[in-house]
Amino acid sequence: MTQSEFVNPENLFEDDDEDDSGAHEPVGLPSKSFDMSLPDMTQMSTISWANLLRKMNAEINSIGYAQVPTITASRRFDLDGPFSLVPADFDPTKNKKRSLLIGCNYSTHGDDSYGAEIKASHDDVRSVKDFIVNVHGFPETRGLMTVLLDDGDHQAPTHKNITEAFKALSEQSQPGDAVFVQFVGHGGRILDSIINSNGDENPYDELLVPSDYSDSGYIRDTLIFKTLLAPMRKGVSITMLIDCCDTGMVMDLPYSWSTKDDKPESKVRVIDSTICRW
């Protein structure tokens, strides 16, 4: 990895705590015991999008972190509407639920000279897997659920494997399908150009850090867009949960909302991200 990508690897893995800027066989992933009960999980399936982000914000603040939950979207939608991973018009006789779960602990990276190891990423993937299976009915069968973990038992979340999984999802998904993608690991930003000659208010590319980052580099938001979102057929509903520091406006989708400066009594709405950014 060269320094030409405008990233200092020595501080890439420092937490941004002070920054408040935002064949069909079961997949072999053991379940993790939830801290919340199934009724609590079911309640989460009826919460509004806005209140879900507010709950996330409260949880983050309660453990001493300052990251701000942000939602971005390709279209306007009602943030006070019920949170769901499956569209209301989903037809189980025609459509499929597909998922891609990615967790990077970086524990097999070697000397870990940059302090990259994260101990809870695999547990987070197991928790979310339980949630989408038990609450939203996502199947665990191969071909419909893909799990990438750097635990030695699963396919590793390398740069190649992640991008190939993105491509496979976009190729296989059909109109009406519901797609869920989770990434847990390190994230960051790369200066897109040394001189911002276009006057862009956001001259950075957001990035995800695969398990083999020192050999293969990072996964930029532009690559995610090109391999996963742009080729996706019209009519596919896709939800992505990006759980990492400093991803900001990942994928630069046109609409967004953040809990920064949010007041629970105020009416929430997604805004045009090309006009205002958090």
Side-chain angles (χ1 to χ4, degrees):
M1 177 62 66
T2 66
Q3 290 297 102
S4 62
E5 289 189 289
F6 313 111
V7 166
N8 181 359
E10 293 184 358
N11 62 21
L12 176 64
F13 303 113
E14 293 179 1
D15 287 339
D16 301 313
D17 301 349
E18 301 304 320
D19 180 13
D20 59 352
S21 20
H24 297 295
E25 299 175 356
V27 173
L29 181 64
S31 296
K32 173 184 179 293
S33 296
F34 264 90
D35 292 333
M36 56 182 178
S37 65
L38 190 57
D40 291 331
M41 295 163 59
T42 305
Q43 181 181 11
M44 288 296 291
S45 71
T46 60
I47 195 172
S48 72
W49 288 94
N51 285 337
L52 175 61
L53 262 68
R54 287 167 176 154
K55 184 176 178 66
M56 291 169 61
N57 189 56
E59 292 285 346
I60 291 170
N61 290 338
S62 71
I63 57 175
Y65 289 90
Q67 286 86 356
V68 179
T70 300
I71 186 170
T72 63
S74 61
R75 56 178 174 79
R76 292 184 182 273
F77 70 99
D78 184 6
L79 286 164
D80 287 323
F83 161 79
S84 180
L85 301 180
V86 182
D89 59 353
F90 181 85
D91 184 348
T93 66
K94 299 178 181 178
N95 307 135
K96 297 184 182 299
K97 299 175 184 178
R98 307 176 186 272
S99 59
L100 169 61
L101 309 178
I102 306 166
C104 298
N105 270 7
Y106 310 98
S107 55
T108 59
H109 188 263
D111 63 2
D112 195 34
S113 57
Y114 298 137
E117 184 173 356
I118 301 176
K119 298 185 181 301
S121 294
H122 297 170
D123 284 343
D124 291 344
V125 168
R126 292 184 179 99
S127 294
V128 168
K129 172 182 171 287
D130 280 354
F131 175 69
I132 67 172
V133 170
N134 294 325
V135 177
H136 293 277
F138 279 74
E140 303 178 62
T141 52
R142 297 187 185 278
L144 294 178
M145 176 181 285
T146 299
V147 178
L148 304 179
L149 296 176
D150 48 352
D151 60 356
D153 295 325
H154 295 80
Q155 193 173 16
T158 62
H159 189 292
K160 179 180 179 181
N161 288 342
I162 292 174
T163 54
E164 288 298 320
F166 286 161
K167 292 177 183 177
L169 262 184
S170 63
E171 292 170 357
Q172 295 167 3
S173 298
Q174 300 297 321
D177 285 357
V179 175
F180 176 78
V181 178
Q182 176 194 22
F183 176 87
V184 187
H186 285 299
R189 296 191 300 169
I190 293 180
L191 189 62
D192 192 29
S193 59
I194 298 178
I195 300 176
N196 185 17
S197 57
N198 296 326
D200 186 2
E201 294 179 5
N202 181 19
Y204 294 92
D205 278 348
E206 276 73 37
L207 60 88
L208 304 180
V209 181
S211 61
D212 63 338
Y213 63 90
S214 60
D215 298 320
S216 301
Y218 312 120
I219 300 175
R220 298 188 183 220
D221 55 2
T222 50
L223 181 60
I224 300 173
F225 186 84
K226 291 177 182 177
T227 56
L228 177 63
L229 299 183
M232 193 70 73
R233 293 174 176 85
K234 183 178 180 180
V236 176
S237 174
I238 177 169
T239 304
M240 298 186 66
L241 174 60
I242 308 298
D243 183 3
C244 50
C245 294
D246 200 26
T247 49
M249 304 293 291
V250 68
M251 292 173 291
D252 287 328
L253 295 176
Y255 300 102
S256 69
W257 182 72
S258 166
T259 54
K260 184 178 181 181
D261 300 324
D262 170 55
K263 297 179 180 179
E265 69 274 9
S266 63
K267 183 175 179 57
V268 297
R269 63 185 180 87
V270 289
I271 65 161
D272 188 335
S273 303
T274 61
I275 298 175
C276 177
R277 294 179 186 273
W278 280 283

